[in-house]
Amino acid sequence: MAARFRHVGAVLLALLLAACGWPGGSSFGWPGSAARAAEVRDAAGRTVVVPAHVERVFPAGPPAGLVLFSLVPERLLGWTMKPSAPALAYLGPGADKPALGWVAGRGGDANLEAVLRAKPDLIVDIGMTSGTYVSLAERVQQATGIPVLLLDGRLVALPATYRTLGRALGVAAEGDERAAWIETHLRTVAQRLETVPDADRPKVYLARGTTGLESARAGAINVEAVDAAGGRNVVGEALGAGSLVTVSMEQLLAFDPDVIVALDPGFFARMKADPLWRQLRAVKTGKAVLAPQLPFPWVDYPPSVNRVIGVVWLAQLLHPAVMRIDVRAAAKDFYRLFYHHDLTDAQLDSLLTDASFP
């Protein structure tokens, strides 16, 4: 399979380079740029040679698209999946870009044709940095001749990711500014949580999907925001470590969480009228909320910088007396800095309509 992948990639590369009038795979960007290229150490410990002038960047997946838009919107070639019209209303100029698809699809295949057609100077992947993802980055880089930076998408790693990317793209000050915002807000939440014993932290159920019965075990990236905000992942406590999991209604009734955070608006609307869900303490007490949705959900997906404001919101929701955070002011600041958009009060009201307790 690996040999066939390399062969197909090499053939495709040669054909596309010829069609574009390029003599080979070593000259992407400006003449002589290789001589001025810089070596960047990515989160996987790889040394990647990045051109001195990077003007066209291809995101390998949704997390990278968000980070790149927040940092260099004019250089982002497009989105993995194009944001909806309602989402675009919450994003600044330059957000209306085409859908490029995934570099890494299911099964580890790479959409090399889409990459080469876009003629990027650099590919950025943000997320996991395990061996599988390192292998994919190496294969894509070898097949296309385009450097691939693999950066860590975990919440705690986002400041380092912004700093590395900012320097690689020649916008170090912008990267540092965003890194500092993330560090400050996550540190504030973490420090204030130090005074809250585990017994006083509410049991939280993350309700994913159209049925609400998909959730996540302990340690899954999907519940990072819940953990960071001082919630106890009720599924993780009951079922242990792992990734996504589907639970039964019987299990959920036994868990009986203090708080439910729903991710799907359709499910959230149905949940409040469902007789089974109404048996749950969180629904009966009005402590079932819908995570703010636009332009990207504040919790879980995609696992990118969008979750930072989610931690701030959720921490204030779960621990209001301890946190004392002005979520509205933080959200306006976050949207200005990361989405290049000045949130109106009406937009913020809409975001928070179903995101608070009575």
Side-chain angles (χ1 to χ4, degrees), residues 198-224:
D198 287 345
D200 293 340
R201 300 188 182 198
K203 295 186 296 180
V204 179
Y205 175 73
L206 182 68
R208 305 181 87 250
T210 57
T211 67
L213 293 176
E214 184 179 76
S215 194
R217 292 174 177 260
I221 195 169
N222 312 82
V223 285
E224 269 196 320

Side-chain angles (χ1 to χ4, degrees), residues 113-202:
E113 184 177 0
V115 173
L116 289 167
R117 191 165 52 240
K119 302 180 185 177
D121 304 309
L122 178 67
I123 300 168
V124 174
D125 192 9
I126 296 176
M128 305 298 290
T129 58
S130 63
T132 299
Y133 297 94
V134 172
S135 176
L136 178 63
E138 288 293 328
R139 286 178 8 227
V140 171
Q141 185 168 289
Q142 181 180 4
T144 64
I146 302 167
V148 179
L149 276 180
L150 182 57
L151 302 173
D152 198 331
R154 294 173 303 147
L155 280 170
V156 296
L158 281 175
T161 289
Y162 269 95
R163 289 191 172 101
T164 298
L165 194 55
R167 281 155 179 73
L169 298 175
V171 288
E174 290 85 347
D176 289 345
E177 181 183 19
R178 286 152 181 80
W181 199 99
I182 296 168
E183 285 174 333
T184 297
H185 287 78
L186 293 185
R187 185 188 307 116
T188 295
V189 169
Q191 288 175 342
R192 293 177 184 176
L193 282 174
E194 290 176 356
T195 66
V196 182
D198 287 345
D200 293 340
R201 300 188 182 198

Side-chain angles (χ1 to χ4, degrees), residues 193 196-206 225-235 237 255-261 281-282 285 287 314-320 322-323 357:
L193 282 174
V196 182
D198 287 345
D200 293 340
R201 300 188 182 198
K203 295 186 296 180
V204 179
Y205 175 73
L206 182 68
V226 172
D227 296 337
R232 292 164 53 196
N233 174 19
V234 69
V235 173
E237 289 189 356
F255 299 157
D256 200 19
D258 301 307
V259 175
I260 294 173
V261 177
R281 176 178 16 180
T285 60
K287 291 191 174 181
L314 194 53
Q316 176 62 29
L317 187 70
L318 300 179
H319 306 283
V322 173
M323 290 298 152
F357 300 150

Side-chain angles (χ1 to χ4, degrees), residues 69-71 73 162 174 176-182 185 330-342:
F69 180 79
S70 72
L71 193 58
Y162 269 95
E174 290 85 347
D176 289 345
E177 181 183 19
R178 286 152 181 80
W181 199 99
I182 296 168
H185 287 78
K332 286 187 175 183
D333 199 34
F334 178 87
Y335 275 61
R336 177 193 59 79
L337 185 60
F338 291 89
Y339 294 151
H340 313 287
H341 174 71
D342 291 322

Side-chain angles (χ1 to χ4, degrees), residues 5 9 12-13 16-17 20 22 28 56-61 77-80 99-105 109-125 136-137 139-148:
F5 180 94
L12 178 60
L13 174 63
L16 288 176
L17 291 179
C20 296
W22 290 338
F28 291 89
R56 299 171 62 82
V57 190
F58 194 108
L77 289 171
W79 304 94
T80 304
L100 301 173
W102 296 74
V103 170
D109 292 329
N111 188 358
L112 298 179
E113 184 177 0
V115 173
L116 289 167
R117 191 165 52 240
K119 302 180 185 177
D121 304 309
L122 178 67
I123 300 168
V124 174
D125 192 9
L136 178 63
R139 286 178 8 227
V140 171
Q141 185 168 289
Q142 181 180 4
T144 64
I146 302 167
V148 179

Side-chain angles (χ1 to χ4, degrees), residues 222-306:
N222 312 82
V223 285
E224 269 196 320
V226 172
D227 296 337
R232 292 164 53 196
N233 174 19
V234 69
V235 173
E237 289 189 356
L239 303 181
S243 55
L244 295 178
V245 63
T246 299
V247 301
S248 67
M249 197 67 213
E250 290 75 17
Q251 286 176 302
L252 185 53
L253 288 168
F255 299 157
D256 200 19
D258 301 307
V259 175
I260 294 173
V261 177
L263 301 181
D264 183 83
F267 158 72
F268 181 74
R270 293 190 299 272
M271 175 194 66
K272 293 183 290 184
D274 188 297
L276 286 175
W277 284 85
R278 288 174 65 179
Q279 295 180 41
L280 293 167
R281 176 178 16 180
V283 179
K284 287 189 290 188
T285 60
K287 291 191 174 181
V289 296
L290 175 68
Q293 297 290 299
L294 296 171
F296 307 99
W298 287 14
V299 177
D300 188 5
Y301 188 84
S304 190
V305 69
N306 52 308

